Amino acid sequence: MLVATAFVLMMTVPALALFYGGMSRSKSVLNMMMMSFVAAAIVGIIYVAIGWSMGFSGDGTFFANPFELFWLDGVETADYVFVMFQMTFAVITAALISGAVEGRMKFSAWVVFVPLWAVIVYFPMAHMVFSCTDDSLICGRIGAQDYAGGTAVHINAGIAALVLVLLLGKRLGFPKEKMRPHNLTLTMLGAGLLWMGWYGFNVGSIVFGGESEAADTAQFFSETGRTFANTTLATMAAILGWLVVERLLHKKATSLGAASGIVAGLVAITPAAGAVDIEGAVAIGLVAGAICAWAVGLKYKLGYDDSLDVVGVHLVGGIVGTVLIGVFSTADGAGGIDGLLYGGGVDSLVDQVLGVLVAIVYVGVLTTIIGLAIKYTMGLRISEDDEVEGIDLVAHGESAYDLHTSSFGGGAGKSGVLAAATKSTEGASA
């Protein structure tokens, strides 16, 4: 669990920061990365103070007392590792939202939004999804199977992202100007680190039955093998699904498509990792990769500016993975329920759909209230002039790439490259 926890923290810093940073424009890459780092710092502290209590104390259906386990009062240090594990889930869920608002949300507004959203939206959702009501291995009060956070993490972040982009409006020039990723090398590195970290995310989410030590040991070897294999195979299938659709729609199979396919597959298998067999995992990955590759284009048709495709990947992928549990789950999986394909009828499928709807409505309404409150008090968006200049310089006083001239020997000389360029093209601007 220590290793799994460290892996999930790595998913935010640096993996998500690199993934989003590479997809950003060069004038907003530092801000994009800072949003992940600051979200980790803010949410992590608040989680220990009241988040654990709101998520895992009490018997309430939807809400728990934030002060029952205030600052982990009464929690044994032996349980701290599980607290830290759940904390990393809260951290990355908040950070995921940032990709939708690239280059135009006030940094100060983000710093205010994150703690409000964590307390009002995420912590109660975590209680609904991850907190067990009985000894069943199907934990959660939301009514749907969710092994590691399809509803609490991905649908949650996706809906919040959609609300914010609607409140913020479009980036200047969108969609007429092509706003390409500035460094796809960073994005692919981030995607690879996310894939590695996701083993902590999914495999570490096992919930033991507790009948006996021998039973827990047997469950450990059986279930972690399933979740590790499913996480791997669904991701591989999603890469292929995304690239095929991308090739059909745009005549190219791109590196950005491969990186996005990785994330789409990981998102979709998150709720289903323990519920399906390996054939189901491949099917879910293929479907998610294909649908998400199509869904990222909806922003151009429907007119919302989801900068880095949080809605198209996390919301859509989370819905696909959560709903398809009702089709592909098997009785020997973590939930112990056969899905529609295995003769279980439509009951499980209906439960999964209802769970998705509960998450969408709850998150959508409360995020809208938070966003409007910030918009009409301190404001959500930077000015047009600041957006043109670039939020890195405006908000942080920094640039990701210092391309100014270098001076040597007390300022008398020029860098070799600049000197050569100036000499070969006399009169040209360096």
Side-chain angles (χ1 to χ4, degrees):
M1 286 307 300
L2 288 169
V3 173
T5 301
F7 273 26
V8 182
L9 182 59
M10 181 190 71
M11 289 171 63
T12 302
V13 287
L16 186 68
L18 290 169
F19 183 77
Y20 279 169
M23 292 174 69
S24 303
R25 293 168 291 176
S26 59
K27 63 181 180 179
S28 60
V29 54
L30 292 179
N31 175 257
M32 193 78 267
M33 291 181 160
M34 278 286 288
M35 291 174 89
S36 288
F37 277 73
V38 167
I42 293 173
V43 176
I45 297 295
I46 295 176
Y47 190 85
V48 172
I50 61 174
W52 174 256
S53 184
M54 292 182 70
F56 291 91
S57 71
D59 297 320
T61 300
F62 296 108
F63 303 101
N65 184 350
F67 302 108
E68 183 173 338
L69 302 174
F70 185 64
W71 280 109
L72 306 186
D73 182 34
V75 179
E76 296 182 5
T77 54
D79 294 327
Y80 279 9
V81 63
F82 188 58
V83 175
M84 294 295 102
F85 182 68
Q86 290 296 329
M87 178 197 74
T88 61
F89 277 58
V91 163
I92 195 168
T93 306
L96 285 172
I97 301 168
S98 65
V101 300
E102 180 262 342
R104 64 197 189 279
M105 185 173 183
K106 287 182 177 179
F107 188 65
S108 57
W110 176 250
V111 170
V112 172
F113 172 82
V114 164
L116 290 175
W117 186 85
V119 172
I120 296 171
V121 180
Y122 179 79
F123 297 160
M125 272 295 297
H127 182 71
M128 292 183 225
V129 174
F130 296 134
S131 180
C132 297
T133 56
D134 50 39
D135 292 332
S136 170
L137 294 184
I138 306 179
C139 291
R141 298 160 165 85
I142 201 170
Q145 293 187 69
D146 188 348
Y147 193 83
T151 51
V153 176
H154 300 294
I155 294 175
N156 195 354
I159 286 292
L162 180 59
V163 169
L164 282 186
V165 300
L166 294 176
L167 293 176
L168 277 166
K170 304 170 186 176
R171 289 167 291 178
L172 294 178
F174 181 88
K176 293 182 179 179
E177 295 180 15
K178 292 185 177 181
M179 301 180 182
R180 295 185 176 91
H182 89 284
N183 191 333
L184 285 172
T185 306
L186 292 182
T187 296
M188 296 196 78
L189 176 61
L193 288 173
L194 282 169
W195 190 346
M196 180 179 179
W198 226 287
Y199 291 112
F201 201 88
N202 285 354
V203 181
S205 292
I206 186 172
V207 176
F208 292 105
E211 296 177 3
S212 67
E213 185 176 339
D216 285 350
T217 301
Q219 180 192 345
F220 173 81
F221 285 110
S222 172
E223 193 168 318
T224 54
R226 176 188 290 256
T227 53
F228 197 103
N230 285 349
T231 300
T232 305
L233 295 170
T235 307
M236 293 172 173
I239 296 172
L240 300 178
W242 187 296
L243 293 180
V244 167
V245 170
E246 190 176 49
R247 173 72 178 176
L248 292 173
L249 293 178
H250 308 297
K251 312 304 180 185
K252 301 286 184 182
T254 67
S255 59
L256 178 59
S260 300
I262 287 173
V263 178
L266 292 166
V267 167
I269 200 59
T270 292
V276 302
D277 57 20
I278 56 175
E279 291 88 351
V282 170
I284 288 173
L286 280 171
V287 172
I291 291 180
C292 290
W294 167 80
V296 295
L298 290 176
K299 62 185 179 183
Y300 300 105
K301 297 179 180 179
L302 301 180
Y304 62 90
D305 185 8
D306 172 23
S307 304
L308 308 184
D309 298 322
V310 181
V311 176
V313 175
H314 291 275
L315 175 57
V316 174
I319 291 173
V320 168
T322 303
V323 170
L324 288 183
I325 292 173
V327 177
F328 293 109
S329 65
T330 61
D332 61 345
I337 298 174
D338 277 328
L340 183 63
L341 190 64
Y342 295 93
V346 299
D347 289 349
S348 177
L349 183 60
V350 171
D351 288 343
Q352 296 305 119
V353 172
L354 290 177
V356 167
L357 293 176
V358 169
I360 289 173
V361 172
Y362 179 85
V363 176
V365 171
L366 292 180
T367 305
T368 300
I369 293 171
I370 296 168
L372 287 173
I374 296 174
K375 181 175 182 177
Y376 291 109
T377 51
M378 63 185 296
L380 279 172
R381 184 168 182 152
I382 61 177
S383 69
E384 290 189 2
D385 289 342
D386 287 347
E387 188 175 343
V388 171
E389 184 174 358
I391 196 169
D392 282 358
L393 286 173
V394 170
H396 309 294
E398 299 173 299
S399 175
Y401 306 101
D402 187 355
L403 303 179
H404 298 292
T405 58
S406 300
S407 297
F408 300 94
K414 296 179 179 179
S415 68
V417 173
L418 183 61
T422 305
K423 183 177 181 180
S424 63
T425 311
E426 188 171 336
S429 171

